[in-house]
């Protein structure tokens, strides 16, 4: 395994020699030679200005890429790149690609991958200019054209984490550009003219075309169907799909499409996209990258929530939040850990909305964390009224994805631009307001077994006819379509989603509550593990104390 021992190892190439051959690759006349000489000097100076550790890191990365050493590439990418970024480029850009080109013999593939890292770091730490956004799009076009338009399968191999990040960052930059483009009041006249002249840059059709092309090239859909039917997936993969590069890019593109469709507000199509992905498979390809695993369930849960299927949304959020809570100690890698934690916080907010609108029993560990974070919010939602709507709006704005519009804004009439976030909030609240009657009535009905209609109307301060209507709405809303497993995420059975039901006979309400027994096994297992951790900690302290007896004298002698 490659280690970060840069000081004891010489760099792979001679900077001056490589820079000389890089700059003078083409012949020029005497008038252009002086410019070439100046560029050569700039390339040499820029390459020499790169810190020694970074230069050696780039050399290791380049060699591992050429030799297809995936394990060392993973170490380079997942560990060293983040550490060097924090050490040297926390508030600055990585070295310009033309300077790095002088270190790697102007290798086109390596430079394309490096530019992808370069612009990704720019997006995460700084504010990219409009020109930088254009350049990043061009670089992605170069990368995907190289992968998709080759005569045969490429020998290139990259770690799964890097492949996921390429697809994920591609979609993030698309969303960022759409948001940047829509805020015309903050753009200068020159930027507006540049946007008008380049409608093809970060075009929605182009982004979708890339994702669908990767899926088609990899034959990943046919592979998933074959695996589901028990057939040999490699026979359905074809010459491209058998390569890990194409297979994983195709699979991650399916997840990317789910994200894009949710950002565009097409939640039905988002769930249909996953029709061949078995979410019940704990060894599915999406579990190989934690960020991908979390992303799948976040967008599935959000799509269910926007479709009014709060029970399914709750189930999706609880599943992945339980996974994150139980594995957080094993995924504390720099960028990945932060992004997973941020997404988990968003899902807790969405879960609070779903459980408030459709009360149901959840895993005790998740319930404890949810109560700690959003107990007040849930109580306010259950009381109903305008305050409940404000709380739901607040949670939605915090936890929802960044929505986009598929078309450019009207440059001549920017005031007509509709904010997609506000529009999707209205869609959510329109459904949520109808659902608010469920938690409000449930909080009163659960206190009784029988109750007079007029008595409950007096408590709620409404007339009897309006209350009768609300009770009928409760009857309608508390039964939802719930996914029962299988490939069709849109299918399911109509089942009660709350533990309280009632019957209305003339003016008398008869209430029945089904109580689910507490699951003691999970409670005992969780607390047994806590006790074992405590015992291990005490034993370690005791060993350290015993090992430290007599050392003070040695310390004094040394002093």
């Amino acid at each position: 395994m490659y280690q970060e021992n840069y000081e004891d190892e010489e760099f792979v190439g001679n900077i001056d020699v490589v820079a000389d051959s890089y700059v003078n690759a083409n012949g020029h006349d005497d008038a252009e030679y002086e410019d070439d000489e100046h560029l050569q000097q700039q390339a040499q100076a820029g390459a020499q200005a790169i810190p020694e550790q970074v230069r050696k890191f780039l050399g290791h990365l380049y060699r591992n890429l050429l030799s297809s050493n995936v394990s060392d590439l993973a170490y380079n990418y997942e560990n060293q790149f983040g550490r060097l970024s924090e050490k040297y480029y926390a508030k600055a850009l990585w070295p310009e690609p033309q300077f790095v080109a002088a270190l790697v013999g102007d290798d086109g593939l390596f430079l394309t991958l490096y530019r992808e890292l370069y612009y990704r770091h720019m997006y995460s730490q700084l504010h990219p200019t409009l020109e930088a956004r254009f350049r990043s799009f061009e670089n992605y076009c170069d990368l995907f054209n190289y992968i998709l338009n080759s005569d045969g399968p490429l020998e290139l191999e990259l770690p799964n984490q890097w492949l996921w990040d390429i697809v994920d960052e591609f979609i993030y930059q698309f969303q960022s550009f759409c948001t940047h483009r829509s805020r015309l009041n903050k753009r200068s006249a020159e930027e507006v003219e540049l946007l008008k002249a380049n409608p093809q840059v970060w075009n929605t059709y182009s982004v979708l075309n890339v994702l669908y092309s990767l899926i088609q090239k990899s034959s990943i859909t046919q592979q998933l169907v074959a695996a589901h039917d028990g057939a040999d997936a490699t026979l359905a993969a074809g010459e491209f799909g058998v390569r890990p590069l194409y297979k994983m890019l195709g699979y991650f593109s399916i997840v990317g499409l789910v994200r894009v469709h949710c950002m565009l507000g097409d939640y039905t199509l988002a769930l249909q996209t996953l029709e061949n992905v078995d979410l019940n498979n704990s060894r599915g390809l999406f579990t190989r990258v934690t960020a991908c695993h979390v992303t799948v369930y976040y967008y599935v849960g959000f799509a269910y929530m926007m479709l009014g299927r709060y029970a399914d949304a709750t189930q999706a959020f609880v599943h992945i939040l339980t996974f994150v809570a139980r594995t957080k100690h094993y995924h504390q890698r720099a960028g990945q850990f932060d992004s997973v934690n941020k997404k988990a916080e968003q899902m807790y907010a969405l879960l609070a909305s779903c459980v408030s609108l459709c009360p149901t029993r959840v895993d005790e560990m998740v319930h404890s964390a949810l109560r700690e974070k959003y107990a007040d919010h849930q109580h306010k939602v259950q009381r109903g009224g305008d305050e409940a709507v404000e709380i739901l709006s607040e949670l939605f704005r915090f936890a929802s994805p960044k929505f986009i519009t598929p078309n450019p804004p009207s440059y001549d009439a920017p005031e007509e631009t509709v904010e997609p976030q506000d529009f999707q909030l209205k869609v959510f609240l329109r459904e949520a307001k109808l659902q608010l009657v469920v938690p409000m009535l449930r909080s009163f009905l659960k206190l009784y077994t029988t109750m007079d209609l007029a008595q409950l109307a007096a408590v709620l301060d409404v007339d009897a006819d309006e209350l009768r209507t609300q009770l009928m709405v409760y009857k309608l809303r508390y039964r939802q379509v719930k996914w029962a497993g299988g490939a069709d995420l849109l299918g399911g059975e109509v089942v009660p989603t709350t533990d309280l039901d009632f019957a209305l006979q003339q003016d008398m309400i008869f209430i029945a509550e089904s109580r689910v027994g507490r699951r003691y096994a999970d409670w005992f297992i969780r607390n047994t593990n806590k006790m074992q951790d405590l015992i291990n900690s005490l034993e370690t302290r005791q060993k350290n104390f015993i090992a430290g007896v007599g050392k003070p004298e040695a310390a004094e002698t040394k002093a």
Side-chain angles (χ1 to χ4, degrees):
M1 178 66 70
Y2 154 63
Q3 300 293 331
E4 189 182 8
N5 186 14
Y6 299 111
E7 291 75 8
D8 299 331
E9 191 169 349
E10 291 298 326
F11 182 56
V12 62
N14 185 307
I15 298 173
D16 295 338
V17 173
V18 178
D20 181 72
S21 61
Y22 166 71
V23 174
N24 292 294
N26 299 317
H28 302 281
D29 56 27
D30 294 340
E32 295 176 340
Y33 183 77
E34 294 181 1
D35 293 336
D36 269 356
E37 188 175 4
H38 178 65
L39 291 175
Q40 174 186 346
Q41 292 174 357
Q42 283 187 329
Q44 291 176 355
Q48 290 175 343
I50 299 175
E52 186 70 14
Q53 270 191 309
V54 176
R55 286 159 49 188
K56 291 183 177 180
F57 161 76
L58 292 171
H60 282 285
L61 188 67
Y62 178 51
R63 285 204 302 272
N64 290 331
L65 182 68
L66 292 180
S67 61
S68 298
N69 191 336
V70 178
S71 60
D72 282 5
L73 269 177
Y75 186 79
N76 292 149
Y77 175 76
E78 297 176 19
N79 295 277
Q80 307 307 330
F81 181 74
R83 292 179 187 176
L84 292 174
S85 296
E86 292 178 4
K87 183 175 181 180
Y88 294 104
Y89 306 109
K91 297 296 180 182
L93 293 174
W94 269 72
E96 292 286 341
Q98 62 264 30
F99 300 153
V100 174
L103 302 177
V104 296
D106 199 16
D107 186 290
L109 175 59
F110 180 84
L111 290 176
T112 301
L113 292 172
Y114 175 77
R115 288 191 194 96
E116 198 273 331
L117 296 176
Y118 173 84
Y119 287 116
R120 190 195 309 173
H121 177 75
M122 178 190 295
Y123 270 81
S124 65
Q125 300 297 333
L126 304 169
H127 297 286
T129 63
L130 185 59
E131 182 181 358
R133 295 174 188 272
F134 281 25
R135 299 293 180 225
S136 181
F137 175 73
E138 292 172 0
N139 188 68
Y140 274 118
C141 290
D142 292 341
L143 176 60
F144 291 128
N145 283 334
Y146 179 74
I147 293 173
L148 292 170
N149 297 331
S150 60
D151 295 332
L154 298 176
E155 297 298 325
L156 175 66
E157 291 190 36
L158 294 175
N160 288 335
Q161 181 68 51
W162 196 344
L163 294 174
W164 161 253
D165 287 340
I166 287 174
V167 175
D168 186 60
E169 183 69 16
F170 176 64
I171 297 171
Y172 166 73
Q173 292 188 20
F174 165 59
Q175 171 265 309
S176 178
F177 179 84
C178 291
T179 304
H180 183 85
R181 180 182 58 186
S182 65
R183 296 171 179 170
L184 294 176
N185 58 332
K186 297 182 180 181
R187 307 280 78 82
S188 65
E190 293 79 6
E191 288 180 321
V192 172
E193 290 301 320
L194 194 59
L195 289 170
K196 283 184 180 180
N198 296 276
Q200 77 285 357
V201 176
W202 287 116
N203 179 272
T204 303
Y205 174 80
S206 300
V207 172
L208 291 174
N209 183 52
V210 166
L211 297 176
Y212 278 113
S213 296
L214 288 170
I215 293 172
Q216 183 180 9
K217 196 77 170 180
S218 64
S219 301
I220 187 63
T221 302
Q222 293 85 339
Q223 294 187 61
L224 293 173
V225 171
H228 180 268
D229 295 340
D232 188 356
T234 57
L235 297 178
E239 62 172 338
F240 286 90
V242 295
R243 303 290 301 179
L245 172 74
Y246 291 91
K247 178 180 179 180
M248 297 310 297
L249 278 178
Y251 189 88
F252 292 147
S253 294
I254 294 177
V255 180
L257 275 177
V258 177
R259 179 180 176 183
V260 173
H261 291 318
C262 283
M263 292 193 304
L264 292 171
D266 195 340
Y267 307 107
T268 300
L269 186 55
L271 294 178
Q272 286 177 344
T273 304
L274 289 170
E275 62 181 350
N276 295 309
V277 177
D278 185 6
L279 295 182
N280 290 326
N281 184 4
S282 60
R283 296 184 179 181
L285 294 179
F286 61 86
T287 62
R288 297 186 181 183
V289 177
T290 302
C292 178
H293 192 177
V294 173
T295 298
V296 168
Y297 277 92
Y298 169 79
Y299 284 101
V300 167
F302 186 80
Y304 274 135
M305 187 186 79
M306 293 300 289
L307 292 173
R309 295 174 59 169
Y310 303 108
D312 282 329
T314 298
Q315 183 179 3
F317 291 138
V318 168
H319 173 89
I320 194 61
L321 287 172
T322 303
F323 168 79
V324 171
R326 291 177 178 174
T327 60
K328 62 182 179 180
H329 298 298
Y330 304 100
H331 299 288
Q332 295 185 356
R333 295 169 180 168
Q336 183 181 356
F337 180 72
D338 293 339
S339 63
V340 168
N341 266 354
K342 180 180 177 181
K343 196 62 70 178
E345 289 300 321
Q346 290 179 306
M347 286 190 286
Y348 272 115
L350 295 175
L351 179 61
S353 299
C354 293
V355 172
S356 299
L357 293 170
C358 182
T360 185
R361 184 180 295 274
V362 300
D363 179 85
E364 187 173 344
M365 180 169 56
V366 175
H367 177 68
S368 299
L370 185 65
R371 185 172 52 192
E372 180 182 343
K373 296 174 185 291
Y374 294 108
D376 293 339
H377 293 73
Q378 289 181 275
H379 291 318
K380 291 177 181 178
V381 172
Q382 290 173 0
R383 287 200 295 265
D386 294 337
E387 188 179 30
V389 175
E390 292 179 3
I391 293 297
L392 289 174
S393 301
E394 175 188 338
L395 294 175
F396 184 88
R397 291 187 182 278
F398 165 72
S400 64
K402 303 298 181 184
F403 298 103
I404 58 175
T405 53
N407 299 316
S410 176
Y411 297 110
D412 299 325
E415 67 278 358
E416 297 179 1
T417 302
V418 178
E419 179 61 41
Q421 208 79 10
D422 295 336
F423 178 78
Q424 294 297 328
L425 175 60
K426 290 180 182 178
V427 173
F428 168 69
L429 291 179
R430 183 178 60 188
E431 183 74 17
K433 287 177 182 178
L434 297 174
Q435 188 73 18
L436 279 174
V437 67
V438 173
M440 182 186 66
L441 288 177
R442 180 180 178 276
S443 63
F444 288 98
L445 293 175
K446 67 184 299 185
L447 302 176
Y448 304 91
T449 55
T450 58
M451 192 177 190
D452 185 71
L453 184 68
Q455 182 183 359
L456 181 58
V459 172
L460 296 176
D461 195 21
V462 296
D463 58 59
D465 290 338
E466 183 179 350
L467 176 59
R468 190 184 297 270
T469 301
Q470 290 185 2
L471 289 172
M472 293 301 101
V473 171
Y474 179 100
K475 272 287 191 181
L476 177 66
R477 305 294 299 185
Y478 99 110
R479 295 179 66 85
Q480 297 178 11
V481 177
K482 189 171 183 181
W483 180 58
D488 185 11
L489 295 180
L490 290 171
E493 301 175 356
V494 178
V495 297
T497 56
T498 184
D499 55 359
L500 186 142
D501 195 7
F502 68 90
L504 183 61
Q505 184 176 1
Q506 295 181 347
D507 290 337
M508 184 62 67
I509 307 172
F510 297 91
I511 302 147
E513 182 178 7
S514 58
R515 298 184 179 274
V516 181
R518 186 175 180 181
R519 297 178 179 177
Y520 294 102
D522 291 342
W523 187 88
F524 277 112
I525 291 173
R526 184 166 57 255
N527 285 278
T528 300
N529 290 334
K530 287 183 179 179
M531 177 61 71
Q532 188 61 50
D533 291 341
L534 181 61
I535 292 173
N536 293 339
S537 177
L538 291 175
E539 289 179 348
T540 301
R541 291 186 180 185
Q542 184 181 24
K543 291 178 181 178
N544 292 339
F545 176 77
I546 294 174
V549 173
K551 287 188 176 180
E553 278 188 12
E556 290 177 6
T557 305
K558 186 176 180 181

